[in-house]
Amino acid sequence: MTTVWVLGDQLSRRRGPLADDPDRVLLVEARAFAERRRYHPQKLALVFTAMRRLRDELRADGVDVVYERCETFGEGLDAYFDTHPGDELVVQRPPAHGAADRLRDLVESRGGSLRVVRNRNFLTTREQFDGWLGDPPFEHETFYRAVRRETGYLMDGDDPEGGEWNYDDRNRETPPDDYESPPLPAFEYGDHLADVQEWVREDVETWGDLQGFNWPVTRAQAERALDDFVENRLPDFGPYQDALLADDWHLDHSLLSSALNIGLLDPDEVVERAIAAYRERDGVPLHSVEGFVRQVLGWREFMRHVYDREMPGLASANQLGAERDLPPLYWDPDATEMACLSSSVGHVYDRGYAHHIERLMLLSNFALTYGATPQALNEWFYGGFVDAYHWVVTPNVVGMGAFGTDAFTSKPYASSANYVNRMSDHCGGCRYDPDATTGERACPFNSLYWDFLAEHEDRLRSNHRMGLVYSHLDDKRDAGDLAAIRKRARAVRDAAASGDL
Ligand SMILES: Cc1cc2nc3c(=O)[nH]c(=O)nc-3n(C[C@H](O)[C@H](O)[C@H](O)COP(=O)(O)OP(=O)(O)OC[C@H]3O[C@@H](n4cnc5c(N)ncnc54)[C@H](O)[C@@H]3O)c2cc1C
Ligand code: SF4
């Protein structure tokens, strides 16, 4: 007798072992998971509600489901093997480093056996990645083109659709002042969400707002979320994907990561839907569709393999030797008068979500130039987001956001206020001046940026992609401005550390 063990991030019925008409299904709702760190309450509500909804759907279809609610996986397996001694369980390979071995030990020590099969939540295999990229440094663009060729997505024979692999230069617009992104669909949840929320509210220490939950928790809801994105937001996804607006937390982003990462959607189906919209509908530009396909087919798959290749060292990587903890503003949007950061931390608190540019150019950029350790930042992201899982959060934060390693990021994503001022509407209403570098009102991003470059000059100056910015640093040094800038950076760090920035 084989039982499919369905983990909380493997809820797909369309592929993998659940698609093969299993005799029996096991789900273990282990409460200890919720206590490992201060998670966002909406993340806990999402995963546990989605598991219960899947259980109900399977039972309604006549599948024998064993659903164990307990403290730990170990306790859940004790209960399972008490009544089903010697069973074989089959599970999809969990993407977290070392997790498959840990699960096998748990099962075998209880007299069962565990068969680990390919994880179908990803399109590409480790063998393909190794074959295409070899040894580090790993280049995303090489990987992305190889996957396009392999899958034929957005290909015109041997050439990329439209003649270019990448339309990034058309995807850097800011919306007009009166722009409103389309409203989002709302979902009905029934009793399970309320039950889980009550437990979370009463028993678990979390960070974030429990109310306002609006994430898909079933396959049907995830399909609706996908339909809605393709129908309404995909056309403008490309041009505005790098923009930041104070009053629009999602703009035209898909909001599909939470569903993709727990198996309610498949990566190839979302890619195919976007491509079909481009081929079948007017007004869906190639640069939007290619931009979206690159995120899912390129970045999502790439990060998964980079994690696989670089762990366990990736989690503790800190090539710049950063030493600070995160300042209080990461937990309290009111602990700073920086309009952009306060808004972005508020988005995370409210929903466990911020879009990619907020994550990279605000939340990570500040921590990087402030000198916070990649590990402190990783822990914050891991706890704060509804779509965070170790395999995806760690490479994104430690590698891309905090430049803890150069295994796949060729330069740090550090920037001054210039970027935020160009891409957002935050600066107009901010206490700080984006054009000033020194003085009480100078935007903190400016002094931190130049100070960061000066601090890590030995390491970064020789990077050919940093030549231009170092020539600007030289100008500041030659003009005798650098000492005052670095003094302002120290004052900014002190103020941030004491919650007064
Ligand atoms: C510092 C930092 C931390 C991040 N943490 C996470 C995380 O915990 N979980 C997570 O899923 N993504 C993470 N990302 C990647 C990306 O920001 C999110 O996937 C995206 O913002 C999710 O929102 P969306 O679904 O609206 O995405 P969209 O902007 O609509 O993009 C479409 C899809 O592309 C995929 N995608 C895009 N970029 C990436 C990427 N760099 N890595 C993996 N998938 C990508 C996601 O599945 C996403 O749903 C992080 C990025 C950064 C810079
Ligand atoms: S001035 Fe600086 S802190 Fe204020 S919104 Fe602009 S970039 Fe952010």
Side-chain angles (χ1 to χ4, degrees):
M1 173 79 145
T2 297
T3 298
V4 176
W5 183 5
V6 175
L7 302 177
D9 59 354
Q10 301 186 350
L11 305 182
S12 173
R13 290 185 71 179
R14 300 163 308 287
R15 54 181 62 178
L18 262 192
D20 298 336
D21 277 339
D23 305 319
R24 187 182 297 133
V25 169
L26 168 68
L27 288 125
V28 181
E29 187 182 305
R31 304 294 181 93
F33 164 82
E35 283 147 18
R36 279 194 210 150
R37 56 181 46 79
R38 270 208 303 170
Y39 281 112
H40 199 289
Q42 295 192 22
K43 160 83 167 290
L44 301 176
L46 170 73
V47 175
F48 288 120
T49 308
M51 288 173 71
R52 293 179 190 191
R53 293 291 293 258
L54 178 69
R55 171 198 61 192
D56 294 355
E57 285 175 19
L58 289 166
R59 282 186 179 154
D61 291 344
V63 181
D64 174 13
V65 182
V66 178
Y67 194 92
E68 302 288 357
R69 292 174 70 183
C70 47
E71 272 310 301
T72 62
F73 272 172
E75 279 180 22
L77 292 172
D78 282 341
Y80 180 79
F81 285 110
D82 276 352
T83 44
H84 307 90
D87 260 13
E88 181 190 59
L89 303 184
V90 57
V91 72
Q92 297 189 67
R93 178 171 294 284
H97 178 74
D101 291 340
R102 289 193 293 276
L103 296 186
R104 181 173 282 111
D105 287 349
L106 284 173
V107 170
E108 289 180 354
S109 64
R110 285 160 179 83
S113 58
L114 185 70
R115 188 153 48 89
V116 179
V117 299
R118 180 177 164 192
N119 189 317
R120 304 307 297 255
N121 199 6
F122 302 96
L123 294 174
T124 52
T125 62
R126 164 78 180 256
E127 290 69 37
Q128 287 174 312
F129 182 88
D130 291 352
W132 291 326
L133 296 192
D135 294 322
F138 304 120
E139 205 197 41
H140 172 261
E141 191 63 24
T142 307
F143 174 78
Y144 172 55
R145 292 182 188 190
V147 189
R148 290 266 299 272
R149 286 198 181 95
E150 178 76 18
T151 57
Y153 288 136
L154 283 184
M155 294 299 291
D156 181 3
D158 291 338
D159 297 321
E161 181 87 21
E164 305 287 336
W165 290 100
N166 182 318
Y167 296 91
D168 250 358
D169 54 345
R170 301 184 61 183
N171 287 347
R172 296 194 183 115
E173 290 180 34
T174 47
D177 287 348
D178 57 351
Y179 185 78
E180 282 181 25
S181 61
L184 302 177
F187 304 110
E188 295 290 330
Y189 296 108
D191 292 342
H192 289 322
L193 178 69
D195 288 349
V196 174
Q197 284 178 322
E198 189 181 330
W199 161 65
V200 169
R201 187 182 302 110
E202 285 177 7
D203 290 352
V204 192
E205 207 186 318
T206 56
W207 177 82
D209 193 353
L210 187 57
Q211 302 309 316
F213 184 93
N214 194 36
W215 302 106
V217 297
T218 63
R219 167 68 183 168
Q221 291 176 355
E223 283 178 317
R224 256 188 74 210
L226 174 59
D227 288 347
D228 182 78
F229 166 67
V230 172
E231 184 65 29
N232 299 316
R233 299 196 300 288
L234 177 62
D236 282 346
F237 172 86
Y240 302 148
Q241 68 177 346
D242 286 359
L244 301 145
L245 292 189
D247 293 329
D248 191 337
W249 61 273
H250 53 77
L251 267 158
D252 292 285
H253 289 271
S254 69
L255 312 180
L256 296 177
S257 53
S258 66
L260 275 164
N261 291 352
I262 61 173
L264 294 179
L265 292 172
D266 301 322
D268 44 352
E269 78 174 326
V270 308
V271 165
E272 285 169 18
R273 285 292 305 281
I275 295 173
Y278 162 66
R279 300 214 187 284
E280 292 160 16
R281 272 169 43 200
D282 291 336
V284 183
L286 178 58
H287 54 104
S288 276
V289 173
E290 188 281 319
F292 180 72
V293 168
R294 178 150 28 95
Q295 307 307 322
V296 181
L297 201 61
W299 282 109
R300 184 173 184 273
E301 297 282 322
F302 178 76
M303 287 305 197
R304 184 261 167 128
H305 292 300
V306 164
Y307 172 85
D308 211 31
R309 286 284 300 265
E310 293 298 299
M311 282 295 285
L314 179 66
S316 54
N318 185 3
Q319 64 174 344
L320 298 180
E323 289 179 342
R324 293 187 179 79
D325 211 341
L326 285 178
L329 66 87
Y330 279 81
W331 286 271
D332 179 4
D334 296 331
T336 181
E337 293 187 73
M338 296 175 72
C340 54
L341 265 187
S342 175
S343 158
S344 192
V345 172
H347 292 164
V348 184
Y349 184 87
D350 289 347
R351 299 177 194 84
Y353 178 91
H355 67 65
H356 185 71
I357 293 299
E358 290 184 281
R359 297 186 203 206
L360 188 61
M361 300 311 290
L362 291 177
L363 298 162
S364 298
N365 182 18
F366 187 83
L368 169 72
T369 54
Y370 172 82
T373 65
Q375 289 62 45
L377 187 66
N378 200 29
E379 191 56 31
W380 182 81
F381 268 99
Y382 198 177
F385 284 73
V386 289
D387 57 12
Y389 297 86
H390 203 244
W391 66 266
V392 62
V393 75
T394 305
N396 271 298
V397 177
V398 175
M400 191 185 264
F403 200 51
T405 171
D406 55 9
F408 59 102
T409 319
S410 56
K411 77 180 193 45
Y413 284 91
S415 93
S416 66
N418 202 10
Y419 182 88
V420 182
N421 199 13
R422 195 173 66 243
M423 297 308 299
S424 86
D425 61 357
H426 287 298
C427 298
C430 182
R431 170 184 196 269
Y432 294 107
D433 178 356
D435 297 321
T437 305
T438 52
E440 286 248 309
R441 294 270 163 159
C443 173
F445 272 121
N446 291 336
S447 54
L448 288 180
Y449 173 67
W450 295 113
D451 185 68
F452 171 83
L453 290 177
E455 182 71 26
H456 299 293
E457 192 162 359
D458 287 351
R459 179 176 193 101
L460 298 178
R461 183 183 273 279
S462 56
N463 182 329
H464 70 278
R465 296 187 64 196
M466 309 278 298
L468 185 64
V469 295
Y470 273 101
S471 73
H472 293 318
L473 184 74
D474 291 340
D475 293 344
K476 294 195 186 302
R477 189 178 273 129
D478 294 346
D481 295 339
L482 196 56
I485 293 173
R486 300 201 71 176
K487 188 170 168 217
R488 167 70 181 153
R490 284 193 293 278
V492 163
R493 287 195 182 95
D494 288 347
S498 55
D500 293 325
L501 191 61

